[in-house]
Amino acid sequence: MKEKLYKDQYNNIDVPEDELLRSIQSGIDKAESKSSFKRQRTMKRSILSTAAAVFLSATFLSPGMSIALADVPVIGEAYHVFNDMVGRHLSSQQLVTELDEKSSYRGIDVVVTSAYYDGAVVGVSFRVEGRVKEDEFNNISGFYEIYDGNEGISDSKEIVTMEQSGDGYVGQIQLSYPYKELPASTSFPLEFKRIGEKEGSWKFEVPIKQLPYEEMKVNHSRFNEKADVAVQFESIIEGQASTAINYTGTFPLEGENDQVRLEVFDDHGERVRISMDGIDLESYQEDNHVVVKGRSIIPEKLKERTDYLEIHPKVAIRSEGDYFLSLSDKLPSKIESKRQNHVISVNDMKVQGDKVALDFQINNGRLERDFTFYQNIARTDVVVVEESRKDIYEEPMKHSVKVLDKEKLMFRSTFDVSSVNNFNEDNYVVRVSLGGLSGNLPVELEPVKVDLN
């Protein structure tokens, strides 16, 4: 992660609203593809949730919302402030459990005020009082762990933002219950390790009791031979205000970090919002494949909206490595994905004085996203780097990108090597990465239709 993660998050944002979170996810995907590690979604989700919190705050905390909150019961305040649709709906039906669990440390009190457990979704609201100071980003936020920060559990470490309410602050946490089986009642450990700028320990054992839900078994599978991926849909869990889709993804060993993503539509062809996608519940190796039990959460009860779901499964490929060309390699050279139809063709390369110019084409001119996306790929994923530092992701060498043919996705990048002491072309290489294409243009499988009634 580290430097490359933050760089890629910035570079791959091309649509401010609809694509913000997915663009950040793509940067994380690219960073993860550079190393081998156990499947988990821990610290990366903290970064993603921070961006989501900023986005949601800007989107929902309008003056009109403030006026509307005057009529919201105290127990449901945080769910409305942070637009937790499940919590809002349950609180309006008085299905949220009121709590009064308090933990104090160094002049700051944290009180867990309510919780819900609906199908596969868990929500918690809390209140903070005391001498709270803004964090380094000028926000009132906290950092917490659930299940003792277990790295095998998605979202086990998160940053949560808070909003002022009276003389204190309110906050809200939502998570997918992290196991396949859903007990009727249980509790989970929650510990805040930072409130504002103050580090400490505020511990809770939050009790939760399952609301009535229905589970419908399904049996639909989809497969892509080239990518060697399969998705098996197994059940739909419908709670009082939420719906969960359970599935099993199967990937090759080199694709241990691949991730299932879903798009869902109702019987009118309208997009259904997924609030939590690609949640890993369990993973294990079977023969020469990795098997992952996963879940996606929809923040509404769908039977009241539609007779059936049309689910479009996709798999983001995360195993793409980098490819390297010397500045004297014979051209043209095609860099092709082993598991997808992605290709970057380097057609010409010139070293003249203090300039290195590369002419290249992306995906043979196949346009599947907004053109700005491909401009970002051209800027960040075809770069000249020092051979001895080719695996270090840092600010790229200063360069300009010219569009040679927009319709054919052909570009020219010109790198300025005038600031390089004793530049020697034998010591530099061209690094071509397909990770950005793979992360943002996943393998698309055939859609699945699931009847709900």
Side-chain angles (χ1 to χ4, degrees):
M1 296 172 74
K2 296 184 180 179
E3 297 173 358
K4 183 175 179 355
L5 182 149
Y6 297 107
K7 175 179 78 68
D8 289 337
Q9 288 175 348
Y10 174 83
N11 289 336
N12 281 314
I13 296 175
D14 60 311
V15 182
E17 291 187 8
D18 295 339
E19 296 296 331
L20 173 61
L21 300 184
R22 184 156 291 185
S23 297
I24 296 173
Q25 176 73 61
S26 108
I28 295 163
D29 292 344
K30 291 171 67 178
E32 287 181 336
S33 71
K34 308 306 173 191
S35 61
S36 176
F37 56 90
K38 178 181 176 182
R39 288 187 64 92
Q40 44 123 338
R41 303 283 186 268
T42 304
M43 292 307 296
K44 79 179 187 63
R45 293 250 184 205
S46 296
I47 296 165
L48 187 62
S49 65
T50 302
V54 173
F55 178 69
L56 289 174
S57 295
T59 304
F60 296 112
L61 297 180
S62 63
M65 173 65 78
S66 299
I67 294 171
L69 285 175
D71 298 324
V72 174
V74 173
I75 191 173
E77 178 187 9
Y79 304 125
H80 285 73
V81 168
F82 294 96
N83 204 47
D84 177 347
M85 299 303 295
V86 178
R88 289 176 64 178
H89 190 77
L90 294 176
S91 64
S92 69
Q93 299 180 76
Q94 297 183 332
L95 294 176
V96 172
T97 301
E98 186 171 2
L99 299 172
D100 187 20
E101 305 287 338
K102 181 178 179 180
S103 180
S104 302
Y105 184 84
R106 297 178 62 189
I108 294 178
D109 298 331
V110 179
V111 182
V112 173
T113 54
S114 71
Y116 65 79
Y117 176 22
D118 184 54
V121 184
V122 175
V124 175
S125 68
F126 62 93
R127 182 174 179 82
V128 174
E129 297 176 343
R131 300 187 299 274
V132 181
K133 295 183 180 180
E134 293 180 343
D135 60 25
E136 59 183 317
F137 302 106
N138 299 319
N139 294 319
I140 298 298
S141 69
F143 176 75
Y144 69 86
E145 293 182 351
I146 57 171
Y147 296 96
D148 301 316
N150 186 334
E151 292 187 348
I153 294 177
S154 297
D155 307 337
S156 64
K157 301 178 182 180
E158 288 279 355
I159 295 172
V160 59
T161 59
M162 293 172 273
E163 290 294 328
Q164 189 164 9
S165 174
D167 57 356
Y169 301 88
V170 293
Q172 168 264 355
I173 297 168
Q174 187 188 72
L175 59 135
S176 169
Y177 189 75
Y179 302 110
K180 291 188 302 178
E181 303 301 324
L182 302 174
S185 61
T186 185
S187 63
F188 69 92
L190 166 65
E191 180 182 9
F192 289 90
K193 307 193 83 170
R194 178 180 59 77
I195 298 293
E197 66 168 13
K198 186 173 294 186
E199 295 184 358
S201 178
W202 296 264
K203 288 186 176 182
F204 302 90
E205 193 69 27
V206 182
I208 52 176
K209 185 176 181 180
Q210 177 71 265
L211 293 169
Y213 71 93
E214 296 180 37
E215 183 171 9
M216 181 177 65
K217 300 295 183 181
V218 296
N219 185 20
H220 298 285
S221 61
R222 294 295 184 265
F223 177 74
N224 181 284
E225 184 174 1
K226 180 175 182 177
D228 192 15
V229 298
V231 178
Q232 170 79 33
F233 292 95
E234 296 170 337
S235 67
I236 305 290
I237 296 174
E238 185 167 77
Q240 299 300 303
S242 66
T243 303
I245 302 174
N246 291 330
Y247 54 83
T248 296
T250 304
F251 318 115
L253 291 180
E254 66 269 25
E256 65 173 336
N257 296 312
D258 292 353
Q259 185 184 28
V260 175
R261 297 176 182 170
L262 303 181
E263 286 187 355
V264 180
F265 299 86
D266 65 15
D267 54 9
H268 296 292
E270 295 183 2
R271 182 89 169 258
V272 176
R273 185 170 80 87
I274 296 176
S275 59
M276 289 180 275
D277 200 14
I279 301 164
D280 294 345
L281 304 176
E282 178 187 358
S283 65
Y284 55 90
Q285 184 175 331
E286 187 174 89
D287 298 327
N288 59 341
H289 284 82
V290 174
V291 179
V292 179
K293 300 291 185 180
R295 177 179 291 153
S296 293
I297 301 295
I298 297 167
E300 62 177 306
K301 188 173 183 176
L302 288 174
K303 278 189 177 181
E304 299 173 352
R305 166 177 173 173
T306 180
D307 291 330
Y308 66 83
L309 299 179
E310 186 173 281
I311 305 172
H312 294 243
K314 303 179 181 183
V315 178
I317 304 297
R318 295 180 170 182
S319 58
E320 296 287 0
D322 289 336
Y323 301 81
F324 300 95
L325 301 173
S326 74
L327 298 187
S328 58
D329 272 357
K330 184 178 180 180
L331 300 176
S333 179
K334 280 193 172 184
I335 310 301
E336 299 183 77
S337 170
K338 297 177 181 178
R339 300 174 60 201
Q340 290 178 273
N341 296 320
H342 296 320
V343 57
I344 293 180
S345 302
V346 181
N347 299 318
D348 193 23
M349 186 185 316
K350 294 180 181 178
V351 181
Q352 295 180 330
D354 58 3
K355 305 291 183 184
V356 177
L358 304 174
D359 290 0
F360 56 94
Q361 183 182 34
I362 300 175
N363 276 359
N364 296 318
R366 187 175 69 253
L367 191 71
E368 299 175 70
R369 289 280 298 274
D370 183 270
F371 180 73
T372 304
F373 166 74
Y374 296 95
Q375 283 183 305
N376 289 336
I377 293 292
R379 180 164 57 89
T380 63
D381 290 0
V382 182
V383 294
V384 174
V385 296
E386 191 174 356
E387 202 278 335
S388 63
R389 299 175 63 83
K390 65 182 182 181
D391 295 321
I392 300 174
Y393 291 85
E394 51 197 354
E395 186 68 22
M397 184 184 298
K398 183 179 179 181
H399 66 287
S400 60
V401 179
K402 179 181 179 181
V403 179
L404 299 179
D405 191 322
K406 184 175 181 179
E407 293 184 357
K408 294 182 179 180
L409 295 179
M410 299 183 72
F411 301 88
R412 174 177 295 157
S413 289
T414 302
F415 294 80
D416 183 357
V417 298
S418 61
S419 61
V420 177
N421 293 329
N422 301 317
F423 174 77
N424 185 335
E425 61 184 88
D426 293 334
N427 296 331
Y428 285 80
V429 295
V430 178
R431 183 176 65 212
V432 180
S433 174
L434 297 178
L437 291 171
S438 297
N440 285 278
L441 299 172
V443 175
E444 298 190 15
L445 308 180
E446 289 295 316
V448 166
K449 182 179 177 181
V450 178
D451 291 321
L452 298 180
N453 299 301

